[in-house]
Short mmCIF file of all heavy atoms in Angstrom, two decimals:
data_model
loop_
_atom_site.label_atom_id
_atom_site.label_comp_id
_atom_site.label_asym_id
_atom_site.label_seq_id
_atom_site.Cartn_x
_atom_site.Cartn_y
_atom_site.Cartn_z
N GLY A 131 -122.02 60.04 14.93
CA GLY A 131 -122.58 59.89 16.21
C GLY A 131 -123.00 61.23 16.70
O GLY A 131 -122.72 62.31 16.15
N LYS A 132 -123.71 61.13 17.80
CA LYS A 132 -124.38 62.34 18.45
C LYS A 132 -123.66 62.65 19.70
O LYS A 132 -123.46 61.83 20.47
CB LYS A 132 -125.93 62.22 18.82
CG LYS A 132 -126.57 63.44 19.33
CD LYS A 132 -128.00 63.19 19.47
CE LYS A 132 -128.69 63.15 18.24
NZ LYS A 132 -130.29 63.07 18.34
N ILE A 133 -123.34 63.85 19.98
CA ILE A 133 -122.62 64.32 21.16
C ILE A 133 -123.65 64.36 22.23
O ILE A 133 -124.69 65.06 22.26
CB ILE A 133 -121.96 65.66 20.97
CG1 ILE A 133 -120.80 65.65 19.85
CG2 ILE A 133 -121.42 66.15 22.29
CD1 ILE A 133 -120.32 67.04 19.64
N ILE A 134 -123.42 63.61 23.36
CA ILE A 134 -124.36 63.48 24.36
C ILE A 134 -123.84 64.27 25.68
O ILE A 134 -124.57 64.51 26.61
CB ILE A 134 -124.65 62.06 24.81
CG1 ILE A 134 -123.31 61.38 25.41
CG2 ILE A 134 -125.22 61.20 23.70
CD1 ILE A 134 -123.63 60.12 26.03
N GLY A 135 -122.65 64.70 25.52
CA GLY A 135 -122.08 65.48 26.76
C GLY A 135 -120.73 66.01 26.45
O GLY A 135 -120.07 65.56 25.33
N VAL A 136 -120.23 66.96 27.27
CA VAL A 136 -118.82 67.59 27.13
C VAL A 136 -118.25 67.49 28.52
O VAL A 136 -118.73 68.16 29.41
CB VAL A 136 -118.82 68.94 26.47
CG1 VAL A 136 -117.39 69.50 26.40
CG2 VAL A 136 -119.47 68.97 25.11
N ASP A 137 -117.15 66.72 28.63
CA ASP A 137 -116.55 66.53 29.93
C ASP A 137 -115.15 66.96 30.00
O ASP A 137 -114.33 66.91 28.91
CB ASP A 137 -116.48 65.05 30.27
CG ASP A 137 -117.91 64.34 30.36
OD1 ASP A 137 -118.81 65.19 30.59
OD2 ASP A 137 -118.00 63.20 30.22
N PRO A 138 -114.67 67.67 31.10
CA PRO A 138 -113.29 67.95 31.20
C PRO A 138 -112.46 66.76 31.62
O PRO A 138 -112.70 66.18 32.61
CB PRO A 138 -113.32 69.10 32.34
CG PRO A 138 -114.39 68.75 33.04
CD PRO A 138 -115.47 68.08 32.16
N LEU A 139 -111.51 66.27 30.77
CA LEU A 139 -110.83 65.07 31.10
C LEU A 139 -109.28 65.37 31.09
O LEU A 139 -108.93 66.20 30.34
CB LEU A 139 -111.07 64.03 30.07
CG LEU A 139 -112.52 63.55 29.94
CD1 LEU A 139 -112.77 62.55 28.88
CD2 LEU A 139 -112.97 62.96 31.30
N ILE A 156 -108.39 69.05 29.31
CA ILE A 156 -109.15 69.77 28.20
C ILE A 156 -110.55 69.10 28.13
O ILE A 156 -110.87 68.12 28.67
CB ILE A 156 -108.42 69.64 26.86
CG1 ILE A 156 -108.40 68.13 26.55
CG2 ILE A 156 -107.04 70.27 26.83
CD1 ILE A 156 -107.81 67.97 25.15
N TYR A 157 -111.39 69.97 27.45
CA TYR A 157 -112.83 69.55 27.29
C TYR A 157 -112.86 68.56 26.09
O TYR A 157 -112.12 68.57 25.10
CB TYR A 157 -113.71 70.68 26.98
CG TYR A 157 -114.05 71.49 28.20
CD1 TYR A 157 -113.31 72.69 28.49
CD2 TYR A 157 -115.09 71.11 28.95
CE1 TYR A 157 -113.74 73.41 29.61
CE2 TYR A 157 -115.46 71.87 30.09
CZ TYR A 157 -114.73 72.99 30.33
OH TYR A 157 -115.13 73.73 31.46
N CYS A 158 -113.63 67.49 26.33
CA CYS A 158 -113.84 66.44 25.35
C CYS A 158 -115.31 66.11 25.15
O CYS A 158 -116.11 66.06 25.98
CB CYS A 158 -113.12 65.09 25.80
SG CYS A 158 -111.21 65.16 26.11
N ALA A 159 -115.60 66.08 23.84
CA ALA A 159 -116.93 65.72 23.44
C ALA A 159 -117.20 64.15 23.64
O ALA A 159 -116.17 63.49 23.42
CB ALA A 159 -117.25 66.08 21.95
N VAL A 160 -118.21 63.74 24.13
CA VAL A 160 -118.49 62.34 24.46
C VAL A 160 -119.56 61.88 23.62
O VAL A 160 -120.70 62.44 23.51
CB VAL A 160 -118.83 62.26 25.94
CG1 VAL A 160 -119.10 60.69 26.23
CG2 VAL A 160 -117.74 62.81 26.87
N VAL A 161 -119.33 60.74 22.91
CA VAL A 161 -120.29 60.05 22.02
C VAL A 161 -120.33 58.57 22.58
O VAL A 161 -119.38 57.86 22.70
CB VAL A 161 -119.81 60.10 20.63
CG1 VAL A 161 -120.89 59.20 19.77
CG2 VAL A 161 -119.73 61.52 20.13
N VAL A 162 -121.52 58.13 22.71
CA VAL A 162 -121.81 56.73 23.19
C VAL A 162 -122.78 56.12 22.22
O VAL A 162 -123.99 56.21 22.34
CB VAL A 162 -122.29 56.61 24.64
CG1 VAL A 162 -122.57 55.20 25.14
CG2 VAL A 162 -121.46 57.38 25.58
N PRO A 163 -122.25 55.30 21.30
CA PRO A 163 -123.17 54.62 20.35
C PRO A 163 -124.08 53.65 21.00
O PRO A 163 -125.36 53.68 20.73
CB PRO A 163 -122.28 54.00 19.30
CG PRO A 163 -120.91 54.65 19.47
CD PRO A 163 -120.85 55.09 20.93
N ARG A 165 -122.77 51.29 24.31
CA ARG A 165 -122.29 51.20 25.71
C ARG A 165 -120.78 51.68 25.70
O ARG A 165 -120.36 52.03 26.88
CB ARG A 165 -122.21 49.73 26.11
CG ARG A 165 -123.52 49.09 26.27
CD ARG A 165 -124.26 49.67 27.51
NE ARG A 165 -125.55 48.90 27.88
CZ ARG A 165 -126.66 49.24 27.32
NH1 ARG A 165 -126.83 50.38 26.68
NH2 ARG A 165 -127.78 48.58 27.74
N VAL A 166 -120.22 51.87 24.54
CA VAL A 166 -118.72 52.25 24.59
C VAL A 166 -118.61 53.77 24.62
O VAL A 166 -119.31 54.40 23.86
CB VAL A 166 -117.99 51.62 23.45
CG1 VAL A 166 -116.54 52.15 23.41
CG2 VAL A 166 -117.97 50.11 23.50
N ARG A 167 -117.77 54.27 25.56
CA ARG A 167 -117.61 55.80 25.45
C ARG A 167 -116.53 56.17 24.48
O ARG A 167 -115.36 55.60 24.55
CB ARG A 167 -117.32 56.27 26.90
CG ARG A 167 -117.10 57.77 26.98
CD ARG A 167 -116.80 58.20 28.38
NE ARG A 167 -115.47 57.71 28.84
CZ ARG A 167 -114.83 58.18 29.92
NH1 ARG A 167 -115.34 59.19 30.61
NH2 ARG A 167 -113.69 57.67 30.32
N ILE A 168 -116.80 57.05 23.67
CA ILE A 168 -115.85 57.59 22.65
C ILE A 168 -115.72 59.01 22.93
O ILE A 168 -116.59 59.83 22.94
CB ILE A 168 -116.32 57.40 21.24
CG1 ILE A 168 -116.60 55.85 20.81
CG2 ILE A 168 -115.37 57.96 20.13
CD1 ILE A 168 -117.20 55.61 19.51
N VAL A 169 -114.40 59.46 23.27
CA VAL A 169 -114.10 60.81 23.61
C VAL A 169 -113.37 61.46 22.38
O VAL A 169 -112.47 60.82 21.79
CB VAL A 169 -113.30 60.86 24.89
CG1 VAL A 169 -114.06 60.28 25.99
CG2 VAL A 169 -112.04 60.11 24.72
N ILE A 170 -113.71 62.79 22.11
CA ILE A 170 -113.07 63.58 21.17
C ILE A 170 -112.53 64.84 21.88
O ILE A 170 -113.34 65.69 22.10
CB ILE A 170 -114.10 63.87 19.94
CG1 ILE A 170 -114.85 62.61 19.56
CG2 ILE A 170 -113.41 64.66 18.82
CD1 ILE A 170 -115.95 62.89 18.61
N PRO A 171 -111.27 64.91 22.05
CA PRO A 171 -110.64 65.99 22.67
C PRO A 171 -110.87 67.30 21.78
O PRO A 171 -111.12 67.28 20.63
CB PRO A 171 -109.12 65.74 22.76
CG PRO A 171 -109.07 64.28 22.53
CD PRO A 171 -110.18 63.89 21.72
N ALA A 172 -110.86 68.45 22.52
CA ALA A 172 -110.99 69.76 21.77
C ALA A 172 -110.02 69.99 20.73
O ALA A 172 -110.22 70.61 19.69
CB ALA A 172 -111.11 70.87 22.85
N MET A 175 -111.19 68.48 17.49
CA MET A 175 -112.51 68.98 17.00
C MET A 175 -112.25 69.92 15.86
O MET A 175 -113.05 70.01 14.98
CB MET A 175 -113.22 69.61 18.15
CG MET A 175 -113.73 68.63 19.14
SD MET A 175 -115.07 67.65 18.49
CE MET A 175 -116.40 68.76 18.16
N LEU A 187 -117.96 74.50 22.26
CA LEU A 187 -117.94 73.03 22.26
C LEU A 187 -119.12 72.62 23.27
O LEU A 187 -119.69 71.63 23.16
CB LEU A 187 -116.62 72.47 22.63
CG LEU A 187 -116.30 71.03 22.75
CD1 LEU A 187 -116.81 70.33 21.60
CD2 LEU A 187 -114.94 70.62 23.31
N MET A 190 -122.47 72.24 22.06
CA MET A 190 -122.73 71.25 20.94
C MET A 190 -123.34 69.96 21.38
O MET A 190 -123.43 69.08 20.45
CB MET A 190 -121.34 70.98 20.26
CG MET A 190 -120.75 72.17 19.44
SD MET A 190 -119.15 71.75 18.68
CE MET A 190 -119.59 70.38 17.62
N VAL A 191 -123.90 69.94 22.53
CA VAL A 191 -124.61 68.76 23.03
C VAL A 191 -125.77 68.57 22.13
O VAL A 191 -126.63 69.54 21.93
CB VAL A 191 -124.97 68.89 24.47
CG1 VAL A 191 -125.81 67.68 24.86
CG2 VAL A 191 -123.71 68.99 25.30
N GLY A 192 -126.00 67.38 21.61
CA GLY A 192 -127.06 67.06 20.64
C GLY A 192 -126.67 67.11 19.19
O GLY A 192 -127.51 66.65 18.31
N ALA A 193 -125.51 67.65 18.79
CA ALA A 193 -125.10 67.78 17.44
C ALA A 193 -124.63 66.44 16.97
O ALA A 193 -123.94 65.75 17.63
CB ALA A 193 -123.93 68.86 17.26
N ILE A 195 -122.09 64.53 14.44
CA ILE A 195 -120.74 64.77 13.90
C ILE A 195 -120.14 63.49 13.31
O ILE A 195 -120.52 62.44 13.67
CB ILE A 195 -119.77 65.38 14.89
CG1 ILE A 195 -119.55 64.37 16.00
CG2 ILE A 195 -120.26 66.70 15.41
CD1 ILE A 195 -118.49 64.83 17.05
N PHE A 197 -116.62 61.38 12.84
CA PHE A 197 -115.25 61.22 13.42
C PHE A 197 -114.54 59.92 13.05
O PHE A 197 -115.26 58.95 12.56
CB PHE A 197 -115.47 61.26 14.89
CG PHE A 197 -116.48 60.16 15.53
CD1 PHE A 197 -116.04 58.96 15.91
CD2 PHE A 197 -117.82 60.54 15.74
CE1 PHE A 197 -117.03 57.96 16.35
CE2 PHE A 197 -118.70 59.71 16.14
CZ PHE A 197 -118.32 58.35 16.57
N PHE A 208 -112.92 52.14 26.28
CA PHE A 208 -113.26 53.34 25.69
C PHE A 208 -112.34 53.67 24.48
O PHE A 208 -111.41 52.81 24.34
CB PHE A 208 -112.98 54.56 26.70
CG PHE A 208 -111.59 55.06 26.87
CD1 PHE A 208 -111.11 56.13 26.20
CD2 PHE A 208 -110.77 54.33 27.78
CE1 PHE A 208 -109.74 56.52 26.31
CE2 PHE A 208 -109.38 54.83 27.95
CZ PHE A 208 -108.96 55.82 27.11
N ALA A 209 -112.71 54.60 23.59
CA ALA A 209 -111.96 54.89 22.54
C ALA A 209 -111.71 56.35 22.26
O ALA A 209 -112.55 57.18 22.88
CB ALA A 209 -112.55 54.35 21.17
N ALA A 211 -111.26 59.59 19.41
CA ALA A 211 -111.59 59.88 18.12
C ALA A 211 -111.14 61.25 17.68
O ALA A 211 -110.96 62.04 18.60
CB ALA A 211 -113.14 59.62 17.85
#
Side-chain angles (χ1 to χ4, degrees):
K132 181 178 291 187
I133 298 177
I134 65 168
V136 178
D137 300 337
L139 299 177
I156 60 177
Y157 283 97
C158 299
V160 179
V161 178
V162 180
R165 293 288 188 271
V166 180
R167 183 178 64 162
I168 301 175
V169 297
I170 308 172
M175 289 291 296
L187 180 58
M190 288 179 62
V191 176
I195 60 172
F197 54 88
F208 82 97

